[in-house]
Amino acid sequence: MVDWAPPHGPWDDQLCFVYDGGVLPHDRVAALRPHDEELSDTAFVAASDAQELLRPRLGNRLRAALRTLATGCPEYLHDGSAYPPHR
């Protein structure tokens, strides 16, 4: 799944790619720690719970990624919305 995000705040426009990374073994999950000072924690949550935690545009990106995973058909988004728009 690919999403184009327009310039916002101090950032230029960007292409956001979401990949299926597979399933991590328990020992790898237990060892996960943030490596960036702006991150304070990591967590695995159900997709429905993630929707509550994410900003709307990122929630749209998550839903598109889950559809892609379920259907096997890639989706392209324009700032979190389907592109081209569904008619």
Side-chain angles (χ1 to χ4, degrees):
M1 199 253 9
V2 179
D3 187 9
W4 174 81
H8 55 285
W11 298 282
D12 291 332
D13 67 329
Q14 53 189 279
L15 287 176
C16 306
F17 296 87
V18 178
Y19 296 95
D20 175 9
V23 178
L24 294 174
H26 181 71
D27 61 323
R28 295 285 307 270
V29 171
L32 289 176
R33 300 287 180 272
H35 293 283
D36 189 321
E37 290 182 10
E38 68 183 54
L39 301 175
S40 60
D41 198 6
T42 59
F44 285 90
V45 299
S48 58
D49 294 333
Q51 292 294 327
E52 299 295 321
L53 299 171
L54 296 170
R55 293 181 177 143
R57 184 182 72 224
L58 298 179
N60 291 342
R61 192 179 294 161
L62 173 61
R63 283 189 296 281
L66 292 172
R67 281 192 306 271
T68 295
L69 186 60
T71 65
C73 297
E75 290 198 29
Y76 303 96
L77 306 182
H78 182 272
D79 196 23
S81 297
Y83 186 84
H86 298 288
R87 296 173 192 232

